[in-house]
Amino acid sequence: MTHQFRGILALLVVTLVWGTTFPAMKSLTADFSPIWIVFVRFALAAVLMLPFLWRARRADYLSGALVGVMLFVCYVFQVEGLARTTSNRNAFITGMNVLMVPLMGFLAGKKPERRIVIALLLAVAGLFTLCSDGAASWSLGDTLALLAAFSFAIYIRMVESATRKVEKLMTLTAMQIVTVALCSALWLLLRELPLGATAAAAAYWNHIGAGLRASAPNFLFLGLVCTAAIIALQTWGQSHSTANEAAVIYAFEPGAAAFFAYFWLGEVMTPLAWAGAALLISGMIVSQWNSERPAAVLAPE
């Protein structure tokens, strides 16, 4: 087995694991606010990533913190959207971030390549088909997922710039994860956590404690496997495969999410919705083909 083939297998595992994050987080929205889900997931991951911050450059800390704030915004939109729509629709719409990156360049005045125009047309057709199958009309959750896709596109641009300046990529990644955990903790302190020793506060903490105990396996999976461990595998896999191979493999993440959503949550897509999903995936593949690097680099789902 060649190193390249092993790298492709590693990226396939990464894509499959990323696909599980959508139904995993969706199942948590029944008991937790989106910020609680983001906080617990990234706090657990931050514990494992702290060693990569040892003796790093101050500039790397700053770059990671700035990108981390943007990543926090991405996850707020994504998980808020998950609470209001199905996980498979959220996955397909959020996956459009790889198309929005070149679209942002077009809006900035850069003439798009022919493959980008084709990809955008496929994506628009796919999104229209996916959301017009009669099973469920466009919702607030879909809008939030679209905002998440746009936010991830900005995040990808920021990562692209930061990776050219930092000394150690894992320091950049670790600082992002720690920053997301800190931002969500601050949000909880300022907006959600009850003040004082009141009956309402006691009930709130009892609810959170019971939920954490019941959902501990889910949170551990999201934080330790899907966020911390999978980044190491992703980094290794991309070092042993080409950018084109990684881009094509990553494009199937929404399909993996829909597969796991069926078995995890019982979510079912109609044939028309699957046709729209196929068009979206085609657009994602076309948009990344011949690109210098896969757009999802260092973007944990």
Side-chain angles (χ1 to χ4, degrees):
M1 185 183 294
T2 65
H3 284 299
Q4 184 177 12
F5 186 65
R6 290 175 182 171
I8 292 173
L9 287 179
L11 295 183
L12 284 172
V13 173
V14 169
T15 302
L16 289 173
V17 173
W18 275 349
T20 65
T21 63
F22 291 90
M25 289 193 294
K26 173 67 176 178
S27 66
L28 291 170
T29 58
D31 298 308
F32 296 94
S33 69
I35 302 301
W36 262 108
I37 297 172
V38 174
F39 168 69
V40 177
R41 174 182 176 178
F42 280 85
L44 289 170
V47 173
L48 291 185
M49 301 301 289
L50 282 176
F52 294 103
L53 298 180
W54 181 252
R55 294 183 178 179
R57 293 192 314 164
R58 183 178 179 181
D60 289 2
Y61 288 140
L62 181 59
S63 295
L66 290 175
V67 178
V69 171
M70 190 66 233
L71 184 59
F72 170 71
V73 173
C74 295
Y75 274 97
V76 170
F77 281 132
Q78 184 186 44
V79 186
E80 286 281 1
L82 266 171
R84 294 169 171 83
T85 189
T86 61
S87 61
N88 48 44
R89 282 168 68 113
N90 184 280
F92 283 111
I93 297 173
T94 303
M96 289 183 64
N97 67 76
V98 297
L99 298 171
M100 290 191 176
V101 174
L103 180 61
M104 289 170 59
F106 170 70
L107 295 177
K110 182 180 178 180
K111 185 177 179 180
E113 301 175 44
R114 180 179 298 177
R115 65 182 174 84
I116 298 301
V117 175
I118 296 173
L120 289 173
L121 290 175
L122 286 170
V124 171
L127 190 61
F128 177 81
T129 305
L130 179 69
C131 299
S132 62
D133 62 353
S137 58
W138 188 269
S139 66
L140 174 61
D142 297 327
T143 300
L144 291 170
L146 196 60
L147 289 173
F150 181 73
S151 300
F152 271 116
I154 298 174
Y155 165 78
I156 290 167
R157 286 291 190 187
M158 292 176 67
V159 169
E160 181 182 25
S161 175
T163 53
R164 294 170 180 166
K165 302 174 183 177
V166 299
E167 187 177 88
K168 298 178 180 178
L169 288 180
M170 287 306 294
T171 298
L172 174 66
T173 304
M175 194 61 200
Q176 290 179 60
I177 291 174
V178 171
T179 300
V180 173
L182 292 175
C183 286
S184 53
L186 182 61
W187 182 291
L188 286 172
L189 286 171
L190 296 178
R191 299 293 301 272
E192 291 195 24
L193 298 186
L195 301 176
T198 63
Y204 176 87
W205 286 114
N206 286 334
H207 172 76
I208 293 297
L212 289 175
R213 288 190 295 272
S215 303
N218 202 340
F219 275 122
L220 289 171
F221 175 70
L222 282 169
L224 303 184
V225 178
C226 299
T227 307
I230 210 67
I231 288 176
L233 184 61
Q234 178 195 11
T235 303
W236 184 88
Q238 287 178 192
S239 68
H240 292 85
S241 59
T242 67
N244 284 342
E245 289 166 344
V248 172
I249 293 169
Y250 289 157
F252 287 94
E253 179 197 348
F259 174 81
F260 287 113
Y262 172 76
F263 289 100
W264 197 316
L265 303 173
E267 294 181 357
V268 179
M269 293 174 61
T270 65
L272 188 59
W274 274 114
L279 288 171
L280 277 172
I281 291 175
S282 299
M284 295 173 200
I285 294 173
V286 171
S287 73
Q288 293 301 296
W289 197 253
N290 289 329
S291 60
E292 295 180 358
R293 63 165 64 190
V297 167
L298 300 178
E301 289 295 344

